[in-house]
């Protein structure tokens, strides 16, 4: 029988985590690995109590807040070494599998599939755009043309019709919400890049799978819900500002992986777009300072800057501008 282990990363979202764990306990899986990133809201105490009551919950305590990327790196490594499952499935603490999702996955024809993405929806039933899988436009000429001619995300993301498909749909990259991967694939390309902390680690990892010849498929009958919110308001601004740092630093690495040699042609255009976002911020100087830091760290391939240092630098940039 095919074995499946779930990996969830959590940080200070206990009420969301309770929903996720409750949903997982109704699913067909062999173990539930929860990585706690040093939560301070009672999560650890709740997990310890729940672990004692459950035969499948396995709590892993991170040495510090590793972010989602570091948490998945730790969780994947723990799950593989302890359980040696055929498949791993991962997601954030504010997401959860819909009833019967794991059963639907395990009953699918998985021959020739190395990794798979579930269909992710908001709790109200709308498609969750941030988790919409995609094809790399740099590998597919028609997609590239559509994107360059103004298609934007629609140029390379799968369309709504794919969510109604009765057969697996080919994709090149996806998010870590409802992402399934074979043990052999993880052993082949390694663990997720934990140094990225948050943002982009999932797209980078799945692009690496595709680039290595792995076959990723979208399975629309396997469904997840994601109760998430990314931006602070109607404008596309980041709050707190350190989120912009990780988005841009990690984004350049993802773009480099996706575009290959064409990266140096398209990166200046993307950077220009980011810099132009300064007009949306109350303190554009602080935003530009943080953005420049992110770009320089990416170009230097610096991914070891401690999170506390990133937060402090962003706060200094903001307070310095406000005091002028």
């Amino acid at each position: 029988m095919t074995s499946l282990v779930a990996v969830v990363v959590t940080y200070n979202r206990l009420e969301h985590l309770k929903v996720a764990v409750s949903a997982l306990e109704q699913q067909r899986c062999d173990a539930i690995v929860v990585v706690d990133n040093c939560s301070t809201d009672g999560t650890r105490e709740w997990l310890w109590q729940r672990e004692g009551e459950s035969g499948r919950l396995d709590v892993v305590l991170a040495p510090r807040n590793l972010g989602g990327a570091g948490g998945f790196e730790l969780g994947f490594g723990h799950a593989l070494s302890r359980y040696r499952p055929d498949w791993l499935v991962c997601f954030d603490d504010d997401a959860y599998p819909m009833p019967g999702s794991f059963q639907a996955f395990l009953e699918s024809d998985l021959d020739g599939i190395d990794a798979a993405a579930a269909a992710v929806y908001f709790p109200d039933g709308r498609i969750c755009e941030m988790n919409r899988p995609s094809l790399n436009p740099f590998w597919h000429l028609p997609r590239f043309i559509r994107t360059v001619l103004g298609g934007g995300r629609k140029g390379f993301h799968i369309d709504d019709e794919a969510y109604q498909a009765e057969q697996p749909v080919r994709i090149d990259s996806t998010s870590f919400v409802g992402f399934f991967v074979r043990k052999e694939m993880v052993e082949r390309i390694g663990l997720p890049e934990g140094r990225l902390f948050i943002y982009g680690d999932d797209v980078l990892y799945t692009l690496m799978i595709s680039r290595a010849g792995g076959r990723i498929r979208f399975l629309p009958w396997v469904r997840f819900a994601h109760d998430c919110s990314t931006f602070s308001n109607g404008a596309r601004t980041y709050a707190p500002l350190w989120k912009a740092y990780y988005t841009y630093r990690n984004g350049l690495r993802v773009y480099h992986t996706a575009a290959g040699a064409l990266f140096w042609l398209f990166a200046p255009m993307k950077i220009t777009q980011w810099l132009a976002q300064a007009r949306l911020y109350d303190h554009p100087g602080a935003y530009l300072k943080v953005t420049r830091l992110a770009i320089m760290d990416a170009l230097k391939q610096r991914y070891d800057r401690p999170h506390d240092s990133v937060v402090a630098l962003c706060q200094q940039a903001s307070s310095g501008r406000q005091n002028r």
Side-chain angles (χ1 to χ4, degrees):
M1 181 178 293
T2 302
S3 57
L4 174 67
V5 169
V7 177
V8 182
V9 177
T10 188
Y11 177 68
N12 280 350
R13 288 197 291 208
L14 178 56
E15 295 309 310
H16 282 298
L17 179 65
K18 288 179 179 179
V19 174
V21 170
S22 178
L24 276 169
E25 290 178 339
Q26 307 304 314
Q27 300 286 332
R28 176 183 160 189
C29 65
D30 297 88
I32 304 165
V33 174
V34 178
V35 178
D36 177 28
N37 264 329
C38 295
S39 297
T40 59
D41 64 346
T43 290
R44 183 162 298 192
E45 292 76 13
W46 181 83
L47 283 171
W48 280 337
Q49 179 181 357
R50 194 67 172 239
E51 187 177 32
E53 300 170 352
S54 172
R56 291 186 294 165
L57 186 60
D58 182 359
V59 179
V60 178
L61 304 179
R64 62 186 183 283
N65 183 5
L66 303 173
F72 285 121
E73 179 183 35
L74 179 61
F76 274 39
H78 176 85
L80 288 178
S81 64
R82 182 166 186 176
Y83 300 103
R84 302 295 299 169
D86 299 309
W87 288 86
L88 293 176
V89 58
C90 66
F91 51 98
D92 299 321
D93 53 7
D94 59 353
Y96 53 91
M98 294 186 186
S101 290
F102 288 5
Q103 184 74 24
F105 171 79
L106 292 168
E107 290 179 352
S108 300
D109 182 0
L110 301 174
D111 288 343
I113 297 178
D114 300 299
V120 184
Y121 298 86
F122 288 112
D124 64 8
R126 292 176 296 127
I127 294 173
C128 189
E129 291 299 328
M130 69 180 297
N131 303 122
R132 189 185 285 262
S134 63
L135 289 164
N136 182 4
F138 294 98
W139 297 344
H140 305 275
L141 183 58
R143 295 275 177 172
F144 180 82
I145 294 173
R146 285 170 55 186
T147 303
V148 170
L149 293 180
R153 288 172 56 89
K154 292 182 178 180
F156 56 92
H157 281 78
I158 62 172
D159 55 28
D160 290 355
E161 292 181 359
Y163 285 74
Q164 306 301 321
E166 298 181 356
Q167 298 295 325
V169 177
R170 178 187 174 182
I171 58 174
D172 295 326
S173 64
T174 189
S175 75
F176 272 175
V177 174
F179 173 65
F180 298 78
V181 60
R182 284 189 188 273
K183 172 192 68 188
E184 292 82 5
M185 200 70 239
V186 179
E187 292 172 339
R188 180 177 173 184
I189 67 167
L191 300 172
E193 173 57 278
R195 296 181 303 166
L196 298 185
F197 194 75
I198 60 169
Y199 303 146
D201 52 304
D202 45 9
V203 177
L204 177 66
Y205 193 71
T206 50
L207 281 174
M208 290 173 61
I209 290 176
S210 296
R211 192 172 64 177
R215 298 153 296 184
I216 310 179
R217 299 293 183 265
F218 173 61
L219 307 180
W221 52 87
V222 180
R223 298 189 171 198
F224 270 68
H226 194 186
D227 188 5
C228 63
S229 176
T230 301
F231 294 99
S232 60
N233 49 48
R236 295 184 64 82
T237 60
Y238 288 94
L241 196 53
W242 56 260
K243 292 185 177 183
Y245 169 84
Y246 289 112
T247 300
Y248 300 153
R249 187 198 64 175
N250 300 349
L252 285 177
R253 181 164 175 183
V254 171
Y255 289 130
H256 198 182
T257 301
L262 291 176
F263 169 78
W264 299 106
L265 176 62
F266 285 89
M269 291 186 287
K270 181 56 66 174
I271 290 172
T272 300
Q273 292 175 1
W274 291 340
L275 295 175
Q277 296 296 306
R279 69 186 187 278
L280 302 177
Y281 287 79
D282 293 334
H283 304 284
Y287 168 82
L288 290 172
K289 187 173 182 178
V290 171
T291 301
R292 285 195 295 267
L293 177 65
I295 293 168
M296 293 307 299
D297 278 356
L299 295 178
K300 295 176 182 177
Q301 299 184 32
R302 179 173 183 181
Y303 304 105
D304 61 348
R305 194 181 291 277
H307 177 59
D308 289 345
S309 173
V310 172
V311 173
L313 288 168
C314 292
Q315 290 175 341
Q316 290 171 11
S318 298
S319 61
R321 295 292 176 177
Q322 291 173 24
N323 292 333
R324 292 185 180 182

